[in-house]
Amino acid sequence: QVQLVESGGGLVQAGGSLRLSCAASGRACYRMGWFRQAPGKERTFVGSITWTYGTTSYADSVKGRFTISRDNARSTVSLQMNSLEPDDTAVYYCAGRLGMGGSPRDKGDYNYWGQGTQVTVSS
């Protein structure tokens, strides 16, 4: 089993920044992903990182504004979000995939999910 707990969400003005964290415990995951879901919309890929090599991948909509990092010693993955826009408003979820392979962008390839944290960007 893997437990994932997100933190760091909140309300911010457009152009501002937030940092989300995901604390992982239990079995070691190969890849951690961040996804988001706006009201009435599907859950979509934001970015991902592998624990061992730190290989990252980002959605085009956040590339250059968001950065994912990991702290292996603390088993924590962070999502630094800069230049936030109202369209970034969503519940953000942390996800973990146990095995190698799969697609970083496919939510179906992740085995475990956190409870989500709300991010609201006001205009």
Side-chain angles (χ1 to χ4, degrees), residues 7 13 16 18 22-24 38 59-60 66-67 85-86 110 119:
S7 60
Q13 288 189 333
L18 277 176
C22 175
D60 288 344
F66 291 10
T67 303
E85 304 166 354
Y110 290 82
V119 171

Side-chain angles (χ1 to χ4, degrees), residues 26 34 43 53 57 63 74-75 78-79 87 100 106 123:
W34 284 99
R43 192 171 298 188
Y53 299 108
S57 178
K63 201 172 293 184
R74 297 184 179 184
S75 297
S78 297
L79 178 65
D87 283 348
M100 295 179 66
D106 187 348
S123 56

Side-chain angles (χ1 to χ4, degrees), residues 21-91:
S21 293
C22 175
S25 61
R27 297 177 64 184
C29 288
Y30 165 72
R31 178 187 297 119
M32 301 296 293
W34 284 99
F35 289 77
R36 65 187 181 186
Q37 187 166 17
K41 296 187 177 181
E42 290 190 3
R43 192 171 298 188
T44 58
F45 173 75
V46 174
S48 67
I49 189 167
T50 60
W51 276 115
T52 302
Y53 299 108
T55 304
T56 56
S57 178
Y58 296 95
D60 288 344
S61 59
V62 306
K63 201 172 293 184
R65 299 189 298 124
F66 291 10
T67 303
I68 295 177
S69 60
R70 92 274 194 223
D71 183 334
N72 294 65
R74 297 184 179 184
S75 297
T76 300
V77 173
S78 297
L79 178 65
Q80 177 67 41
M81 304 185 293
N82 299 328
S83 302
L84 282 161
E85 304 166 354
D87 283 348
D88 295 319
T89 295
V91 177

